Amino acid sequence: MIDAQSSAAAIAAAVRSGTVSARAVLDATLARIERHNAELGAFTDVVAARAQATADAIDRKRAAGAPLGPLAGVPFAVKNLFDIAGLSTRAGSKINRDRPPAESDATLITRLEAAGAVLVGALNMGEYAYDFTGENAHDGPSRNPHDRAHMTGGSSGGSAAAVAGLLVPLSLGSDTNGSIRVPASLCGLFGFKPTFGRLSRARTYPFVASLDHLGPLARTTADLALAYDAMQGLDPADPVCRPPAVESVAGELGRGLGNLRVAVAGGHFARNGLPEAFAAVERVAQALDATRTIELPEAHRARAAAYVITAIEGGTLHREQLRTRAADYDPDTRDRLIAGAMLPAAWYVQAQRFRRWYQERVMEVFRDVDVIIAPATPSRAPKLGQKTFTLDGVELAVRANLGIYTQPLSFIGLPIVTVPVAQEGLPIGVQIIAAPWREDHALRVAAELEQRGVAAAPIAKDLLT
Amino acid sequence: MSNDTFDAEKWLDAVAPTIGIPIDPAWRASVITHLTIVQKASELFVDWPFGTADEPAPVFTA
């Protein structure tokens, strides 16, 4: 039976077999969005007519005996920085609503639809992706489906709320410094940021061009893999997209750990967190029999360099707009972008040089290990509106520090899966980190943890209807 | 390249009009705070003992 908690894989199998029609799946999805979106703040746009046409076309194809794709009839939604033909790409902002509608879809939407998936809408996000909270001054916050008084995390907050809230089984987000991995951790989802340059970013609104990644969020590893496989491939429209080859992983998930060498990240990744973050890592490490601890050298400096690059590239992107429309920004975004727009070039050059230095040191670590485990967030979801939390006895800003463990890793483009660690209470996740272009390693470990019952996406039972 | 003499207030007053970004008095303190935060972050790497191979530019192939 297909219901609100069905996985993308189960829906696609049912649609292919004719157990359920794509239109029936879609109608149930649209009804759930209508029922629950106001309390979750997940969707900012629903493209019902387009989705109905897509679903009906899939059903006609099946009736004609044509083969259906691996994501046949799977409803999905995208962070509202993806271009959707006919909609203005708002990127969480007020200002972008004045832009003309996009003429065509982002590449990743086109590829998911080519695999049979059905786009149902665009999702809430932190303004211009400069956010770890999921709060938005213009559209209201996305709310954590497991406790609506708490944050989803951001900036892909709507992407997490939609999947954890059982509105869709699959969404896409972006991750510059942690914006897929943080909300995945706080909402109890599997979130996946492939290697920098693996997936096309064409026709999405940028934030920090040298750090931006795109990727999926789902309730199972298998669903991440299905979406990932469908989205891979060169795209001349994104000059950064230079994958070595298309490397399908969905069929590799059952291989188990094999000879993979797994270690736990120490140093920076063993400090500045609450006990629940380290307990989650310990649980995963025990399940994987990972007894070795490694250190990613100078990770705290890497985080600082990522912070500076983010400020300067983001500020530069917005400089012209800040001259004329500064008052139309969310103040929390505006003041950081203004600061970033006027910083000395020397800081940026040194930050990029540090990035090269750090990447080479981390690659040395990957000579001895295949997969590294680290916390995804320093805490469970803070309350909406909460400005600070205390880590290691120091009161710190929530907005800047939810990404304390994600930022040093996306800085050098590593592929990472965040897995939700099965436990009571609000969720928390762990990062499974692999060497560049070894997405298969991270996904295999995530699948193994899921198979052993250590990783599981909790179900918000009050949202099942 | 030490930047410990960086004065965020003076920097803001000099650079904002130069690049044409108006600063509303209500935002000024917050922008200064963010300039200071970034400056402190930069202190962690700006004087790092880089080698000549630690180049920031990507490698281009023709």
Side-chain angles (χ1 to χ4, degrees), chain A residues 7 21 23 149 175 235-236 243 279 285 289 306 313 326 346 415-416 441 443 449 457:
Chain A
S7 68
S21 68
R23 182 59 185 261
D175 188 316
D235 183 1
D289 199 22
E313 285 195 38
I416 302 164
H441 287 173
L443 286 162
L449 289 166

PDB file of all heavy atoms in Angstrom, chain A residues 7 21 23 149 175 235-236 243 279 285 289 306 313 326 346 415-416 441 443 449 457:
ATOM      1  N   SER A   7       8.326   5.262   0.619  1.00  0.00           N
ATOM      2  CA  SER A   7       9.561   5.788   0.048  1.00  0.00           C
ATOM      3  C   SER A   7       9.369   6.064  -1.439  1.00  0.00           C
ATOM      4  O   SER A   7       8.423   5.568  -2.075  1.00  0.00           O
ATOM      5  CB  SER A   7      10.684   4.777   0.232  1.00  0.00           C
ATOM      6  OG  SER A   7      10.425   3.629  -0.563  1.00  0.00           O
ATOM      7  N   SER A  21      -1.811   4.520  -9.647  1.00  0.00           N
ATOM      8  CA  SER A  21      -1.493   5.416 -10.762  1.00  0.00           C
ATOM      9  C   SER A  21      -0.668   6.601 -10.256  1.00  0.00           C
ATOM     10  O   SER A  21      -0.738   6.972  -9.070  1.00  0.00           O
ATOM     11  CB  SER A  21      -2.778   5.934 -11.403  1.00  0.00           C
ATOM     12  OG  SER A  21      -3.454   6.795 -10.509  1.00  0.00           O
ATOM     13  N   ARG A  23      -1.262   9.551 -11.014  1.00  0.00           N
ATOM     14  CA  ARG A  23      -2.224  10.608 -10.682  1.00  0.00           C
ATOM     15  C   ARG A  23      -2.786  10.428  -9.275  1.00  0.00           C
ATOM     16  O   ARG A  23      -2.973  11.396  -8.531  1.00  0.00           O
ATOM     17  CB  ARG A  23      -3.362  10.611 -11.711  1.00  0.00           C
ATOM     18  CG  ARG A  23      -4.396  11.695 -11.494  1.00  0.00           C
ATOM     19  CD  ARG A  23      -3.744  13.099 -11.531  1.00  0.00           C
ATOM     20  NE  ARG A  23      -4.697  14.141 -11.213  1.00  0.00           N
ATOM     21  CZ  ARG A  23      -5.330  14.896 -12.112  1.00  0.00           C
ATOM     22  NH1 ARG A  23      -5.087  14.729 -13.404  1.00  0.00           N
ATOM     23  NH2 ARG A  23      -6.179  15.819 -11.745  1.00  0.00           N
ATOM     24  N   ALA A 149       7.579  23.976  17.265  1.00  0.00           N
ATOM     25  CA  ALA A 149       8.157  25.133  17.957  1.00  0.00           C
ATOM     26  C   ALA A 149       9.659  25.222  17.727  1.00  0.00           C
ATOM     27  O   ALA A 149      10.309  26.167  18.170  1.00  0.00           O
ATOM     28  CB  ALA A 149       7.876  25.043  19.450  1.00  0.00           C
ATOM     29  N   ASP A 175      23.710  23.289  -0.707  1.00  0.00           N
ATOM     30  CA  ASP A 175      24.597  23.175   0.452  1.00  0.00           C
ATOM     31  C   ASP A 175      25.888  23.914   0.123  1.00  0.00           C
ATOM     32  O   ASP A 175      26.702  23.426  -0.651  1.00  0.00           O
ATOM     33  CB  ASP A 175      24.860  21.687   0.741  1.00  0.00           C
ATOM     34  CG  ASP A 175      25.614  21.443   2.033  1.00  0.00           C
ATOM     35  OD1 ASP A 175      26.587  22.174   2.287  1.00  0.00           O
ATOM     36  OD2 ASP A 175      25.249  20.518   2.784  1.00  0.00           O
ATOM     37  N   ASP A 235      27.207  18.775 -17.734  1.00  0.00           N
ATOM     38  CA  ASP A 235      26.275  19.802 -18.180  1.00  0.00           C
ATOM     39  C   ASP A 235      27.085  21.024 -18.591  1.00  0.00           C
ATOM     40  O   ASP A 235      27.630  21.723 -17.730  1.00  0.00           O
ATOM     41  CB  ASP A 235      25.298  20.151 -17.051  1.00  0.00           C
ATOM     42  CG  ASP A 235      24.258  21.169 -17.508  1.00  0.00           C
ATOM     43  OD1 ASP A 235      24.290  21.570 -18.688  1.00  0.00           O
ATOM     44  OD2 ASP A 235      23.424  21.548 -16.682  1.00  0.00           O
ATOM     45  N   PRO A 236      27.172  21.295 -19.875  1.00  0.00           N
ATOM     46  CA  PRO A 236      27.961  22.452 -20.326  1.00  0.00           C
ATOM     47  C   PRO A 236      27.443  23.768 -19.763  1.00  0.00           C
ATOM     48  O   PRO A 236      28.177  24.766 -19.745  1.00  0.00           O
ATOM     49  CB  PRO A 236      27.782  22.417 -21.855  1.00  0.00           C
ATOM     50  CG  PRO A 236      27.295  21.053 -22.178  1.00  0.00           C
ATOM     51  CD  PRO A 236      26.569  20.557 -20.986  1.00  0.00           C
ATOM     52  N   PRO A 243      32.297  16.031 -13.613  1.00  0.00           N
ATOM     53  CA  PRO A 243      32.447  14.710 -12.990  1.00  0.00           C
ATOM     54  C   PRO A 243      33.312  13.800 -13.860  1.00  0.00           C
ATOM     55  O   PRO A 243      33.279  13.907 -15.089  1.00  0.00           O
ATOM     56  CB  PRO A 243      31.013  14.187 -12.926  1.00  0.00           C
ATOM     57  CG  PRO A 243      30.302  14.916 -14.017  1.00  0.00           C
ATOM     58  CD  PRO A 243      30.943  16.266 -14.113  1.00  0.00           C
ATOM     59  N   ALA A 279      27.190  11.533  21.350  1.00  0.00           N
ATOM     60  CA  ALA A 279      26.571  10.217  21.572  1.00  0.00           C
ATOM     61  C   ALA A 279      26.137   9.599  20.247  1.00  0.00           C
ATOM     62  O   ALA A 279      26.256   8.384  20.039  1.00  0.00           O
ATOM     63  CB  ALA A 279      25.367  10.369  22.511  1.00  0.00           C
ATOM     64  N   ALA A 285      29.827   4.855  15.385  1.00  0.00           N
ATOM     65  CA  ALA A 285      31.180   4.275  15.413  1.00  0.00           C
ATOM     66  C   ALA A 285      31.148   2.844  15.937  1.00  0.00           C
ATOM     67  O   ALA A 285      31.805   1.948  15.388  1.00  0.00           O
ATOM     68  CB  ALA A 285      32.097   5.144  16.273  1.00  0.00           C
ATOM     69  N   ASP A 289      32.195  -0.576  14.080  1.00  0.00           N
ATOM     70  CA  ASP A 289      33.434  -1.055  14.673  1.00  0.00           C
ATOM     71  C   ASP A 289      34.601  -0.122  14.322  1.00  0.00           C
ATOM     72  O   ASP A 289      35.715  -0.577  14.025  1.00  0.00           O
ATOM     73  CB  ASP A 289      33.728  -2.489  14.213  1.00  0.00           C
ATOM     74  CG  ASP A 289      34.714  -3.176  15.145  1.00  0.00           C
ATOM     75  OD1 ASP A 289      34.835  -2.733  16.307  1.00  0.00           O
ATOM     76  OD2 ASP A 289      35.374  -4.133  14.712  1.00  0.00           O
ATOM     77  N   ALA A 306      36.414  29.344   5.204  1.00  0.00           N
ATOM     78  CA  ALA A 306      35.133  29.189   4.499  1.00  0.00           C
ATOM     79  C   ALA A 306      34.204  30.346   4.845  1.00  0.00           C
ATOM     80  O   ALA A 306      33.475  30.860   3.989  1.00  0.00           O
ATOM     81  CB  ALA A 306      34.487  27.856   4.875  1.00  0.00           C
ATOM     82  N   GLU A 313      32.420  36.398  -1.311  1.00  0.00           N
ATOM     83  CA  GLU A 313      31.754  36.035  -2.573  1.00  0.00           C
ATOM     84  C   GLU A 313      30.263  36.391  -2.516  1.00  0.00           C
ATOM     85  O   GLU A 313      29.689  36.886  -3.489  1.00  0.00           O
ATOM     86  CB  GLU A 313      31.928  34.545  -2.886  1.00  0.00           C
ATOM     87  CG  GLU A 313      33.323  34.199  -3.379  1.00  0.00           C
ATOM     88  CD  GLU A 313      33.389  32.812  -4.018  1.00  0.00           C
ATOM     89  OE1 GLU A 313      32.450  32.407  -4.720  1.00  0.00           O
ATOM     90  OE2 GLU A 313      34.407  32.128  -3.784  1.00  0.00           O
ATOM     91  N   ALA A 326      18.811  47.775  -0.383  1.00  0.00           N
ATOM     92  CA  ALA A 326      19.272  47.194   0.882  1.00  0.00           C
ATOM     93  C   ALA A 326      18.131  47.045   1.888  1.00  0.00           C
ATOM     94  O   ALA A 326      18.094  46.086   2.672  1.00  0.00           O
ATOM     95  CB  ALA A 326      20.403  48.037   1.465  1.00  0.00           C
ATOM     96  N   ALA A 346      42.882  40.871   0.228  1.00  0.00           N
ATOM     97  CA  ALA A 346      43.942  40.008   0.765  1.00  0.00           C
ATOM     98  C   ALA A 346      43.365  38.874   1.615  1.00  0.00           C
ATOM     99  O   ALA A 346      43.882  37.757   1.621  1.00  0.00           O
ATOM    100  CB  ALA A 346      44.920  40.831   1.591  1.00  0.00           C
ATOM    101  N   PRO A 415      32.316  14.573  -0.646  1.00  0.00           N
ATOM    102  CA  PRO A 415      30.965  14.010  -0.662  1.00  0.00           C
ATOM    103  C   PRO A 415      30.572  13.508   0.730  1.00  0.00           C
ATOM    104  O   PRO A 415      31.368  12.837   1.392  1.00  0.00           O
ATOM    105  CB  PRO A 415      31.080  12.843  -1.647  1.00  0.00           C
ATOM    106  CG  PRO A 415      32.505  12.404  -1.527  1.00  0.00           C
ATOM    107  CD  PRO A 415      33.307  13.640  -1.221  1.00  0.00           C
ATOM    108  N   ILE A 416      29.361  13.842   1.149  1.00  0.00           N
ATOM    109  CA  ILE A 416      28.939  13.541   2.526  1.00  0.00           C
ATOM    110  C   ILE A 416      27.462  13.177   2.554  1.00  0.00           C
ATOM    111  O   ILE A 416      26.647  13.842   1.926  1.00  0.00           O
ATOM    112  CB  ILE A 416      29.158  14.777   3.440  1.00  0.00           C
ATOM    113  CG1 ILE A 416      30.630  15.213   3.415  1.00  0.00           C
ATOM    114  CG2 ILE A 416      28.723  14.476   4.880  1.00  0.00           C
ATOM    115  CD1 ILE A 416      30.869  16.598   3.957  1.00  0.00           C
ATOM    116  N   HIS A 441      31.149   5.222  -1.481  1.00  0.00           N
ATOM    117  CA  HIS A 441      31.579   4.815  -0.138  1.00  0.00           C
ATOM    118  C   HIS A 441      30.642   5.377   0.930  1.00  0.00           C
ATOM    119  O   HIS A 441      30.208   4.653   1.838  1.00  0.00           O
ATOM    120  CB  HIS A 441      33.006   5.291   0.127  1.00  0.00           C
ATOM    121  CG  HIS A 441      34.050   4.516  -0.620  1.00  0.00           C
ATOM    122  ND1 HIS A 441      35.380   4.873  -0.630  1.00  0.00           N
ATOM    123  CD2 HIS A 441      33.959   3.395  -1.385  1.00  0.00           C
ATOM    124  CE1 HIS A 441      36.059   4.009  -1.362  1.00  0.00           C
ATOM    125  NE2 HIS A 441      35.223   3.102  -1.828  1.00  0.00           N
ATOM    126  N   LEU A 443      27.577   6.437   0.638  1.00  0.00           N
ATOM    127  CA  LEU A 443      26.213   5.887   0.535  1.00  0.00           C
ATOM    128  C   LEU A 443      26.160   4.431   0.995  1.00  0.00           C
ATOM    129  O   LEU A 443      25.174   3.996   1.607  1.00  0.00           O
ATOM    130  CB  LEU A 443      25.707   6.028  -0.900  1.00  0.00           C
ATOM    131  CG  LEU A 443      25.331   7.474  -1.293  1.00  0.00           C
ATOM    132  CD1 LEU A 443      25.272   7.634  -2.801  1.00  0.00           C
ATOM    133  CD2 LEU A 443      24.000   7.880  -0.654  1.00  0.00           C
ATOM    134  N   LEU A 449      24.243   1.290   7.825  1.00  0.00           N
ATOM    135  CA  LEU A 449      23.718   1.771   9.116  1.00  0.00           C
ATOM    136  C   LEU A 449      22.201   1.656   9.159  1.00  0.00           C
ATOM    137  O   LEU A 449      21.615   1.309  10.192  1.00  0.00           O
ATOM    138  CB  LEU A 449      24.150   3.220   9.345  1.00  0.00           C
ATOM    139  CG  LEU A 449      25.635   3.422   9.642  1.00  0.00           C
ATOM    140  CD1 LEU A 449      26.022   4.891   9.510  1.00  0.00           C
ATOM    141  CD2 LEU A 449      25.982   2.910  11.048  1.00  0.00           C
ATOM    142  N   ALA A 457      14.974   7.342   9.624  1.00  0.00           N
ATOM    143  CA  ALA A 457      14.253   8.616   9.649  1.00  0.00           C
ATOM    144  C   ALA A 457      13.008   8.456  10.511  1.00  0.00           C
ATOM    145  O   ALA A 457      12.141   7.626  10.207  1.00  0.00           O
ATOM    146  CB  ALA A 457      13.868   9.025   8.236  1.00  0.00           C
TER     147      ALA A 457
END
